[in-house]
Structure formats: C-alpha cells, structure tokens
Amino acid sequence: MSFKRAFSALSTLVLAAFSLNMQCFAETPDSAEEERSSFSSDLSLVERSYDDESMMYRYTFPDDAQFYSSERLTDAENPVSVLLVGSEDDDVSILVNSGSGFLEQADEYFLTEDGTYEVTVSHDLRNGSGSVQARFSAVVGEQSAAPEKQVITGRFELENIDGENFRHSFINGSEFITNVLDGETVNFTPKLSVPDSVICTVTRDGNLYSMPSSGFITEDGAYTMEFSCFDNDGNMEKRFFSFNVFTKPTNRLGIYQPPYGYELTSVTLNGENIPLTDKDHVVLSGEGDYFIEYTDGSVTRGVLLSRDTVPPVLYFNGTSDIVFTEQVVVSSDTDCTLRVTKNGQIVGNVSELHGSGLYRITATDEAGNITFVRLEIKSVSAINPLDIIIIFAALIIAAVGYYIIQKNRRITVR
C-alpha cells in the first residue's frame, strides 16, 4: 500500500470516529430532553377532596392511601406561588424532579423556588395487586392573584318534592330533606335528614341542642340551624334554617308570620274568620284554637295552633286563703306542675302541705303560664298571745256571770 493511500485511509478512519463522537455528544442533551418531555400528568387513579380543618386537598388512591397538597391539582400545568405536597402514609413515596435533578426524597416537600417541578407519587396497593402512580407538574413562581374560593350563604332554597317533603341540594352534591319549611310554625313532629358531609349546629330556645340521630324533633320550642360544607374545590356553602314546634297549647304565640316565600291566605279563631290586613303577618291576641293557611302559589299548607295565656288558679283546701293552722291540699282549675319550697328548701311537685312553715308554690300549666303564691301554715302555739289573753278573760267573765246568776236565784217552796 502506498503512503498516500495509507494516509487517506487513516484520515477517513479518524474523521469517522470524530463524527461518531460528535453525534453521541449531540444526542446526549436531546435524549435527556426527550426523557423529560416524556413526563405526562395523570391523576386519574386518585379521588380529590377538601379537608376544611387542615385546609389541604386530599388525594386518595383506591385502597384509601392518601397524599395531600396545598393547591388544587389538575392534569394540566399547575401555576402556583408555593406548593406543599406530602403524605402521612408509609407506603406512599414521592419523587420531585426540579429540572436540574431529583430532590432528596422526603415525606413532605415545600417548594418555594421558581421553576417547573415534576412530581410522581407512587404507591404499592395494599392488596398486593401491584403499584400505582399519580403524576402532576407544578410551575412555582409569582402568580397573578388566584380567584377567590366561592362562598355561598343565605337561607335554604327548598325544592318541593311532593307537597309534604322538601329538599335542598348543597354544592358538594349532598341533599338535605325535611317535612318542615324554613320559618314555618308547625304542630307536628319535624323530620330532618342531614347528610354526613354537612356540619350542622342546632339551638333550641337559644340553647345548644343535640340533633337526634333519628332526625325527629319531638320537643316543643323555637329551633335555629346552621349548615356548612365544602366541595372538592374548597368552595364553601353556609345555610340557615329555622322553625317552631308547638304540639301543645302555648302562650308564645303573638305575631304569626308564614314561612319564607309564603303568604297568608286565611286565619280563623275557634272557627270564626279573622280578616287579614296583611298577608305577611297576623296578630294573635285571642284565646283558643287558630287555624292558619298559607301558600307560595303552588303549595298550600295549614296549621292548627292553640293559644293559652291564662295562668292557672290555685285553691288551698278549696279556698283562696293563704294562712292556715292545719295541713293544706293544693288544687288547680287546670292541669299544672307544682314546685313547692318550705322555708326555702325544695319540697318538689307535691299537692299536700304538712307542718308549720312558710311555703312558696309555683304552678306552671301546659302552655307555660305561671302562678306564684306564698302560703303559711301556723302551729297552734304560734297563735298571737294577745288572742289567748282575750279568750281567757272572756272565759273568766262568763264564769263569774254564771256564778252571780246562780247565787241570786232563790229557791221557792210551795
């Protein structure tokens, strides 16, 4: 082989090797970029919810394993100012790629530096059927003000079901169902079906009231309720609801107003019609049974209420006396509950008073009307000494008079 031909072959070999090296060098960043661009978000295997206590979004795998995030995540890029992501479950692992490499593995990451982060959450299913992943990307940096979460407040918006039952649909998809209208006064037992996903606070006559698990309200009184819930996007709904229950006669009826959205159509007292001057309210000033009807144009309802404002009348041994020297039997012109104290000590619900002392009797009838009486039973020795002196003097005078009369009487002998 000539020198010229050998040099040419050597040159070709060197150029080929150099070309191959340059090709490999050029492909290295392209391969890395290709590997990074192959990342795709996928949250299809987790279910999102919002925890209002921790103010975190919860993402749950099919076997209830979870991870959490400070932001609502989607399969698209998630622009955020900062991001907190982590898990409390040992069988959930999180990897974060910042673009310049993977961050040191941890149970929780607080991402504050600007940049694009690719997050992979891996989990081995607890039934041993394999491993699953949730993936998303987040762009951390200064963001325009995020839209405020929606807050819905107000009265219930009840939908008629069958004329007797009504429902309200919350923003989280749950439903409240009831047989009493908002602001209604009824003489039957209300039934309230409150969904588990809704927080409910109840007061009765201004005091906190524990909602029965059955949902049936069996005690008379004025009830107010507050409901609140969140949807999966952190939006909040707060609703208010109120009603009155009077299954027995009551003294608490004064001005009657129909439920929200309804107007009065007729009112009668003991069967006699009462003219309506206003369809929004009526003054109840008489004693007896009121029947009240109201409508919203499609649903018409009515209620029978008994108004009693007359307090019970008490009798003591059948009289109205309040001072005695013997035991006392207490009676009343109507059924009522007695509360008796003797010399300041509670005796209880008794109708017979024994022994000397100062008694205080409080009588409460079914309608809530109250009568209070102070009564005294005196012992014989407690009679006024002056009265004893007067009685003793009268006896002496009578005896002296009788003696004089007998002495002056002469015996006549025939």
Side-chain angles (χ1 to χ4, degrees):
M1 178 182 295
S2 65
F3 174 78
K4 183 176 180 180
R5 182 176 293 180
F7 179 78
S8 177
L10 181 62
S11 298
T12 301
L13 182 62
V14 171
L15 287 173
F18 180 75
S19 175
L20 181 61
N21 184 59
M22 289 297 293
Q23 183 178 0
C24 292
F25 180 79
E27 284 181 354
T28 300
D30 291 342
S31 298
E33 184 63 30
E34 182 180 350
E35 181 180 352
R36 181 174 175 83
S37 64
S38 67
F39 181 90
S40 61
S41 296
D42 183 4
L43 296 170
S44 62
L45 294 180
V46 291
E47 181 178 341
R48 184 182 69 240
S49 62
Y50 184 76
D51 185 351
D52 59 290
E53 291 186 3
S54 63
M55 301 182 68
M56 289 286 174
Y57 292 89
R58 296 275 178 177
Y59 296 84
T60 306
F61 288 101
D63 60 355
D64 293 332
Q66 290 186 340
F67 68 94
Y68 55 84
S69 168
S70 59
E71 300 292 336
R72 178 181 180 271
L73 304 174
T74 68
D75 287 336
E77 284 190 341
N78 297 281
V80 295
S81 299
V82 296
L83 179 66
L84 176 67
V85 59
S87 177
E88 298 168 349
D89 295 329
D90 295 336
D91 53 1
V92 174
S93 62
I94 304 175
L95 290 176
V96 179
N97 186 352
S98 66
S100 59
F102 286 95
L103 303 182
E104 182 179 351
Q105 190 169 1
D107 294 332
E108 184 178 81
Y109 297 86
F110 186 44
L111 307 178
T112 59
E113 295 186 8
D114 292 358
T116 300
Y117 297 83
E118 295 171 345
V119 183
T120 302
V121 184
S122 302
H123 169 58
D124 292 328
L125 293 172
R126 294 167 181 172
N127 59 9
S129 60
S131 178
V132 292
Q133 289 185 339
R135 300 185 300 273
F136 62 91
S137 63
V139 180
V140 176
E142 185 176 352
Q143 306 293 330
S144 58
E148 292 186 2
K149 292 182 174 61
Q150 186 180 15
V151 178
I152 302 173
T153 62
R155 312 294 306 187
F156 268 140
E157 298 175 359
L158 292 175
E159 173 191 359
N160 176 28
I161 298 177
D162 54 13
E164 294 183 359
N165 296 283
F166 306 85
R167 70 169 158 238
H168 172 83
S169 298
F170 290 98
I171 99 183
N172 63 1
S174 61
E175 292 184 340
F176 167 76
I177 298 177
T178 179
N179 63 348
V180 60
L181 295 167
D182 187 15
E184 190 173 24
T185 299
V186 298
N187 61 351
F188 56 80
T189 299
K191 173 68 168 67
L192 310 173
S193 177
V194 181
D196 294 336
S197 60
V198 175
I199 301 171
C200 176
T201 303
V202 187
T203 63
R204 173 178 173 266
D205 296 334
N207 300 312
L208 282 175
Y209 179 80
S210 179
M211 184 71 183
S213 58
S214 65
F216 288 100
I217 303 296
T218 58
E219 299 177 90
D220 284 11
Y223 293 84
T224 60
M225 309 182 74
E226 180 180 308
F227 301 81
S228 59
C229 67
F230 294 83
D231 66 5
N232 289 338
D233 296 329
N235 299 312
M236 178 183 181
E237 181 176 6
K238 180 179 287 188
R239 295 290 182 176
F240 304 95
F241 186 66
S242 62
F243 57 91
N244 303 308
V245 182
F246 297 122
T247 60
K248 299 176 291 188
T250 179
N251 61 358
R252 297 171 63 175
L253 297 175
I255 297 178
Y256 179 90
Q257 294 177 300
Y260 289 94
Y262 284 69
E263 62 181 26
L264 298 171
T265 56
S266 67
V267 179
T268 63
L269 171 59
N270 299 323
E272 297 292 329
N273 185 61
I274 296 178
L276 291 174
T277 58
D278 194 319
K279 294 184 177 182
D280 292 332
H281 72 276
V282 61
V283 178
L284 308 182
S285 57
E287 303 288 323
D289 295 331
Y290 283 91
F291 184 72
I292 304 169
E293 285 190 322
Y294 39 90
T295 184
D296 68 346
S298 61
V299 176
T300 299
R301 286 161 69 95
V303 61
L304 179 64
L305 301 171
S306 181
R307 184 174 188 268
D308 177 6
T309 62
V310 179
V313 178
L314 296 181
Y315 301 98
F316 309 103
N317 291 345
T319 72
S320 58
D321 296 341
I322 57 173
V323 178
F324 296 87
T325 58
E326 69 275 3
Q327 77 174 38
V328 175
V329 176
V330 183
S331 59
S332 173
D333 66 340
T334 186
D335 290 337
C336 59
T337 300
L338 300 177
R339 183 181 183 274
V340 180
T341 65
K342 177 182 179 181
N343 299 325
Q345 301 297 316
I346 297 176
V347 177
N349 182 19
V350 298
S351 59
E352 294 186 5
L353 312 182
H354 300 276
S356 61
L358 183 63
Y359 292 84
R360 298 179 185 273
I361 304 101
T362 302
T364 306
D365 66 13
E366 189 179 42
N369 302 302
I370 297 176
T371 295
F372 173 81
V373 177
R374 179 180 176 275
L375 178 145
E376 185 178 6
I377 298 180
K378 294 182 176 182
S379 62
V380 176
S381 59
I383 298 176
N384 194 321
L386 181 60
D387 295 338
I388 296 177
I389 294 173
I390 294 175
I391 294 172
F392 185 70
L395 291 174
I396 293 176
I397 293 174
V400 171
Y402 178 79
Y403 174 77
I404 294 174
I405 292 173
Q406 292 296 324
K407 184 178 180 180
N408 291 335
R409 181 178 295 174
R410 297 180 180 274
I411 299 176
T412 304
V413 177
R414 293 183 179 271

